[in-house]
Amino acid sequence: MVNSEGLCGSPPRIGVTKPISIAGPTEADILRNRDLERFLVEAGLYESKEEASKREEVLGRIQEIVTGWVKQLTRLRGYTDQMVEDANAVIFTFGSYRLGVHGPGSDIDTLCVGPSYVNREEDFFFVLHNILAEREEVTELQPVPDAHVPVMKFKFSGIPIDLLYASISHLVVPHDLDISDMSVLYNVDEPTVRSLNGCRVADQILKLVPNVEHFRTTLRCMKLWAKRRSVYSNVTGFLGGVNWALLVARICQLYPNAVPSMLVSRFFRVYTQWRWPNPVMLCAIEEDGLGFSVWDPRKNHRDRTHLMPIITPAYPCMNSSYNVSSSTLRVMMEQFQYGNSICEKIELNRAKWSALFEPYLFFQSYTNYLQVDILAADADDLRSWKGWVESRLRQLTLMIERDTYGKLQCHPYPQEYVDASKPSAHCAFFMGLQRKQGEVIQESQQFDIRGSVEEFRHSINMYMFWEPGMEIHVSHVRRKQLPAYVHSDGFNCSRNLRLTPHQRSYKLPHDNGVAYQTESGEKCLKRKKDPDGENIEQHRLLKRRSPDWNRSGSPEIISRKLSSTSTGCSTSDRDAMNGLVGANASSNSSGITSCSHEVFRNESTAGSSVGSNGGYDNPSSSPSDSCDDLKSSVEDEHADRKKVFQDGLLKELEANTVVGVVLKSMNGVIDAESVPNPVIRLSLASTA
């Protein structure tokens, strides 16, 4: 059989470059695809017809409510009877629902487009809010007017709804409004543009993929994978729904005839080798005379600091992943390596699809954690207070990276936990802490992050809607001190946990001896591992419960100030065009005020399900060794296909180069210099 992968044909061009391959599936690919689709169905990713019908009914009722709301305001403002009769608002959907990848229990992202005389600040967040509050079908109503994209969250007959509002320059909003038309952006402000762009981006994505059904199945798969591996959260610095949709859509463009099982495998192959911060784009960036800023690192200094740019395809094109930090990028690249290694085994019939979706064992992956406890007087207060704190956890990550000059890495965990034993409403978030891989260990070096945490607490306490009982506590806990409620079986590190063969085969990083100080000044020493890196207590059941954060056993902030004579603050440079992972980049301190340099004694990851070898399963091999072993066992045809892939991928990555930037960080100040690069092939000019 002649392999057509990489053959030069003339397929319809979708995207900024030609496809890497126009090959279709082999018989083996079709069988693997059937297995994947069967797995997704068994995982419960598809909603029933009854739930789909209920969602349509809820959207229809929301449409009736907003139409009546606009008519009421039109009458109150003295417009004619004819204007009142013609007054209208239109509900659009976006996000997973619009893309067709929503599942049971997922929310519906909705946008209400209203006329020019109905505003967001008063009419939407007060008048409509009160109308919704009076309806018995509406529960958990939470307005968030100060968000980057102002939103009203609630449940309507049990269906979670995120409702945005956009007032456009029309006195009457037509029922058949084309939201993709550029005219909807005339004479509107930036928050309105951001509100409109959710729908505009979703529509463009569906237009720019060669096969919508293959795109949808692949995106369902990748969203499930991201949630299982704990890298699905835009607010904490990972990637959200639109980010994953854009990454998957680009793979669909590069392999237009591939089935979902092939696209999943190619997803990991491509993005493990992607040269961040080269941008992922579905189309050329379009500029227009409307005056809105578009993503362009040649012109905008802030755009040069973005570590993982994923550009939206609708004007004004923006970076949808600006929340990504060097620490979260490192975590995602490790997970991409993990996914790539599993997919290679699946292609060799050495693993099943279930292996790809094994949950990430976060609480067995680090020795040190930060625990952020959030308390409020009741559930309603906790909902708003938690939303405020969660939206700023990313800032804590950035502050720690900045104050330790990138030497202490944070892994924020997106999942929240609840301690039901507390008398007040409570939830908690956790962050894993580890020293940057490759850093030389100094015998007396410690990392004290009290200043970072105090700065974070100060910013949190500026909450406009603070109520008595709203509290936040930040504690340092070791793995053996983790509270029982983070483990489903009620224990800490569980002896009864059934590790899969893939998890058991990971090479666990060495756990260095650690010194730290409690607030009382008592110095504690952690026992080192044996020379082979094996911790004899690694899989032992630890039944010691975590001390409460009010007790001295779990110090609120750890260690001591670094003396003024300490060293280890040398300048670090990052070549943004040559580094693939970017997780070793210097700390991004843009937009964060300076504070005293502080140090917290940290440790290497212990018991990590994604080890220092980048997530590969072989306990004695490096990533390159693992790849060589896999390749050597593949048939010649498979090897030829991979060679064609590598050649095509290198051309693709070069073609995505827009601009080279070197970021130099010294004392928290960033300078940027353009780097001459002979490969600048993407035009940012208008395609109109």
Side-chain angles (χ1 to χ4, degrees):
M1 180 177 67
V2 178
N3 192 338
S4 60
E5 180 140 343
L7 293 180
C8 296
S10 56
R13 176 160 173 171
I14 303 178
V16 294
T17 62
K18 293 181 179 179
I20 292 177
S21 167
I22 59 172
T26 64
E27 292 182 5
D29 290 323
I30 293 174
L31 290 176
R32 280 192 290 269
N33 191 65
R34 289 175 183 170
D35 291 340
L36 176 60
E37 291 180 343
R38 187 183 306 113
F39 177 86
L40 297 180
V41 171
E42 293 173 354
L45 296 190
Y46 297 89
E47 68 178 359
S48 64
K49 292 182 179 180
E50 292 76 12
E51 186 172 0
S53 177
K54 183 178 180 181
R55 288 178 183 273
E56 293 177 2
E57 179 185 347
V58 165
L59 287 173
R61 292 167 71 181
I62 294 175
Q63 176 66 67
E64 293 175 2
I65 292 172
V66 298
T67 301
W69 163 63
V70 169
K71 289 183 182 294
Q72 174 186 333
L73 291 173
T74 305
R75 184 179 296 105
L76 288 174
R77 286 174 184 165
Y79 286 97
T80 65
D81 292 342
Q82 185 61 47
M83 276 288 291
V84 172
E85 183 179 345
D86 295 339
N88 187 42
V90 180
I91 290 292
F92 293 91
T93 61
F94 61 100
S96 62
Y97 188 83
R98 175 68 184 93
L99 293 174
V101 295
H102 60 287
S106 61
D107 62 357
I108 306 179
D109 295 310
T110 55
L111 168 69
C112 175
V113 178
S116 57
Y117 56 86
V118 177
N119 63 54
R120 179 188 304 105
E121 292 75 14
E122 298 173 359
D123 299 331
F124 180 72
F125 279 113
F126 286 95
V127 179
L128 181 59
H129 173 274
N130 292 337
I131 292 174
L132 292 172
E134 292 173 357
R135 299 187 68 98
E136 61 180 16
E137 313 101 307
V138 176
T139 58
E140 300 182 18
L141 182 60
Q142 179 189 0
V144 192
D146 57 343
H148 186 65
V149 181
V151 61
M152 197 140 55
K153 297 173 176 285
F154 56 93
K155 287 185 177 180
F156 198 104
S157 297
I159 303 293
I161 303 291
D162 283 0
L163 180 62
L164 314 182
Y165 179 71
S167 174
I168 62 175
S169 57
H170 289 63
L171 283 176
V172 177
V173 179
H175 292 276
D176 58 350
L177 176 68
D178 182 6
I179 202 167
S180 298
D181 193 277
M182 197 75 73
S183 64
V184 300
L185 301 179
Y186 292 162
N187 300 320
V188 298
D189 58 13
E190 289 278 358
T192 300
V193 172
R194 291 194 290 268
S195 299
L196 289 166
N197 253 20
C199 299
R200 290 164 51 81
V201 167
D203 288 347
Q204 281 296 102
I205 290 174
L206 294 176
K207 292 176 182 177
L208 290 172
V209 294
N211 187 310
V212 172
E213 287 307 313
H214 288 174
F215 162 75
R216 285 172 172 163
T217 301
T218 308
L219 181 54
R220 284 184 186 274
C221 181
M222 292 312 307
K223 289 180 67 174
L224 176 64
W225 177 85
K227 291 174 181 177
R228 293 277 179 90
R229 303 304 295 177
S230 301
V231 289
Y232 189 94
S233 174
N234 182 277
V235 70
T236 54
F238 294 108
L239 302 181
V242 68
N243 309 126
W244 291 105
L246 292 169
L247 291 181
V248 169
R250 186 67 185 121
I251 300 302
C252 292
Q253 290 180 340
L254 296 175
Y255 300 92
N257 297 321
V259 293
S261 63
M262 299 169 64
L263 293 171
V264 170
S265 175
R266 272 55 171 184
F267 180 98
F268 292 115
R269 282 197 209 168
V270 170
Y271 291 122
T272 53
Q273 301 181 63
W274 196 270
R275 296 172 184 171
W276 305 109
N278 291 342
V280 172
M281 301 190 298
L282 301 186
C283 59
I285 293 179
E286 181 179 359
E287 297 193 55
D288 194 270
L290 296 181
F292 294 110
S293 176
V294 298
W295 188 85
D296 188 348
R298 300 172 303 180
K299 298 178 181 178
N300 305 323
H301 181 276
R302 178 170 294 184
D303 293 344
R304 301 176 193 175
T305 67
H306 294 167
L307 301 179
M308 193 183 189
I310 303 171
I311 311 304
T312 57
Y315 176 83
C317 299
M318 307 172 186
N319 176 22
S320 63
S321 53
Y322 60 86
N323 277 353
V324 173
S325 68
S326 60
S327 287
T328 53
L329 177 59
R330 169 189 62 84
V331 171
M332 285 188 283
M333 291 304 298
E334 288 177 350
Q335 294 303 321
F336 288 165
Q337 293 280 7
Y338 165 86
N340 189 48
S341 67
I342 298 297
C343 284
E344 286 181 331
K345 292 182 177 181
I346 291 173
E347 289 183 343
L348 297 171
N349 295 321
R350 295 180 180 175
K352 297 183 180 298
W353 284 111
S354 58
L356 182 64
F357 300 94
E358 289 170 358
Y360 176 61
L361 304 178
F362 176 74
F363 291 109
Q364 280 114 62
S365 298
Y366 294 91
T367 304
N368 284 299
Y369 296 86
L370 278 187
Q371 177 176 338
V372 181
D373 289 282
I374 305 167
L375 297 96
D378 54 47
D380 290 336
D381 283 354
L382 180 65
R383 189 179 303 111
S384 57
W385 179 231
K386 181 198 72 175
W388 168 260
V389 175
E390 185 181 12
S391 69
R392 276 143 186 84
L393 284 176
R394 185 180 68 93
Q395 295 299 323
L396 178 57
T397 301
L398 295 176
M399 291 171 185
I400 293 173
E401 289 178 352
R402 176 202 65 198
D403 294 343
T404 62
Y405 294 82
K407 295 183 179 181
L408 181 61
Q409 296 176 328
C410 304
H411 180 174
Y413 195 52
Q415 185 172 342
E416 66 178 83
Y417 292 87
V418 176
D419 185 357
S421 66
K422 291 192 180 296
S424 56
H426 165 270
C427 71
F429 291 93
F430 292 83
M431 289 186 183
L433 300 175
Q434 72 171 12
R435 175 181 26 86
K436 180 180 177 181
Q437 296 296 322
E439 285 293 318
V440 177
I441 305 173
Q442 298 180 7
E443 187 66 25
S444 60
Q445 184 181 10
Q446 295 182 339
F447 290 91
D448 183 346
I449 55 172
R450 281 178 290 189
S452 307
V453 172
E454 284 304 317
E455 184 180 350
F456 169 71
R457 287 168 58 118
H458 178 72
S459 67
I460 291 297
N461 289 333
M462 298 177 68
Y463 184 48
M464 293 175 56
F465 306 101
W466 183 88
E467 296 288 343
M470 291 182 175
E471 299 178 13
I472 178 174
H473 300 269
V474 181
S475 311
H476 166 238
V477 293
R478 293 185 176 278
R479 189 193 307 159
K480 64 183 180 181
Q481 295 174 316
L482 286 167
Y485 58 76
V486 303
H487 302 286
S488 59
D489 57 3
F491 297 99
N492 283 0
C493 297
S494 174
R495 178 191 300 154
N496 298 324
L497 182 63
R498 294 284 192 267
L499 297 180
T500 67
H502 300 288
Q503 292 168 333
R504 285 197 298 267
S505 66
Y506 295 149
K507 181 178 181 179
L508 303 176
H510 293 276
D511 185 14
N512 302 295
V514 172
Y516 71 97
Q517 285 186 335
T518 64
E519 288 186 316
S520 63
E522 179 184 359
K523 190 171 184 179
C524 306
L525 292 177
K526 185 184 187 306
R527 184 176 58 189
K528 292 186 180 182
K529 285 185 178 179
D530 63 76
D532 295 330
E534 295 297 331
N535 190 333
I536 60 174
E537 295 184 354
Q538 193 166 48
H539 301 301
R540 183 173 298 175
L541 179 62
L542 299 176
K543 297 187 178 180
R544 282 168 283 186
R545 292 178 177 268
S546 168
D548 190 82
W549 37 259
N550 285 325
R551 295 171 57 184
S552 60
S554 181
E556 176 142 336
I557 312 297
I558 327 98
S559 192
R560 52 191 168 91
K561 294 274 186 177
L562 180 69
S563 65
S564 59
T565 59
S566 296
T567 59
C569 304
S570 60
T571 303
S572 59
D573 295 338
R574 176 171 64 86
D575 186 342
M577 299 310 302
N578 294 329
L580 171 63
V581 177
N584 294 328
S586 60
S587 171
N588 178 2
S589 56
S590 175
I592 303 177
T593 57
S594 63
C595 73
S596 59
H597 173 50
E598 311 203 342
V599 186
F600 166 81
R601 180 66 177 179
N602 65 92
E603 306 172 20
S604 295
T605 315
S608 174
S609 64
V610 181
S612 58
N613 61 347
Y616 283 83
D617 295 353
N618 193 327
S620 60
S621 302
S622 65
S624 59
D625 294 335
S626 299
C627 289
D628 291 340
D629 292 340
L630 287 171
K631 289 179 182 177
S632 64
S633 63
V634 185
E635 296 180 353
D636 293 339
E637 179 180 325
H638 185 76
D640 291 341
R641 294 175 67 181
K642 291 202 52 164
K643 181 178 184 304
V644 172
F645 163 79
Q646 295 287 350
D647 295 341
L649 177 57
L650 289 176
K651 293 179 182 178
E652 155 64 14
L653 297 180
E654 287 181 350
N656 272 277
T657 301
V658 173
V659 64
V661 175
V662 171
L663 300 181
K664 297 182 178 179
S665 175
M666 174 67 81
N667 296 328
V669 179
I670 291 183
D671 296 319
E673 301 174 355
S674 293
V675 177
N677 195 315
V679 186
I680 303 179
R681 299 180 181 174
L682 289 186
S683 171
L684 298 181
S686 173
T687 57

